[in-house]
Amino acid sequence: VTGASFVVFNGALKTSSGFLAKSSIVEDGLMVQITRETMESLRQALRDKKDFKITCGKADSEDVKEYVDICWVENEEKTNKG
């Protein structure tokens, strides 16, 4: 679990890169590089207020993957108040 001050979603990752998605820590935030198709799905999920999971890592690898979970919550007491 990584806490971050901000998240950047970059929809310019090429399918030919061999990655499902990439995540990296940038300063005190998180940058997630995703394909254009994943960006479209993410935007629709945000409009619909639906949870969304992004799987990061090589597409052909059996290694443990990283996940970026976007979750809508009812109770805001457990979220960052800043």
Side-chain angles (χ1 to χ4, degrees), residues 46-76:
L46 292 172
R47 279 188 218 104
D48 297 341
K49 295 185 178 180
K50 301 281 185 189
D51 293 350
F52 194 78
K53 180 181 243 178
I54 299 170
T55 304
C56 300
K58 285 256 188 199
D60 59 356
S61 176
E62 295 296 323
D63 294 339
V64 175
K65 306 281 189 215
E66 292 180 3
Y67 300 96
V68 176
D69 288 320
I70 297 127
C71 304
W72 292 89
V73 295
E74 295 281 331
N75 185 350
E76 293 185 19

Side-chain angles (χ1 to χ4, degrees), residues 23-67:
S23 64
S24 55
I25 296 178
V26 180
E27 295 180 14
D28 60 342
L30 179 68
M31 180 171 67
V32 184
Q33 297 176 48
I34 55 179
T35 62
R36 184 175 47 152
E37 295 79 16
T38 303
M39 178 65 87
E40 290 171 9
S41 298
L42 171 60
R43 291 178 71 199
Q44 188 60 51
L46 292 172
R47 279 188 218 104
D48 297 341
K49 295 185 178 180
K50 301 281 185 189
D51 293 350
F52 194 78
K53 180 181 243 178
I54 299 170
T55 304
C56 300
K58 285 256 188 199
D60 59 356
S61 176
E62 295 296 323
D63 294 339
V64 175
K65 306 281 189 215
E66 292 180 3
Y67 300 96

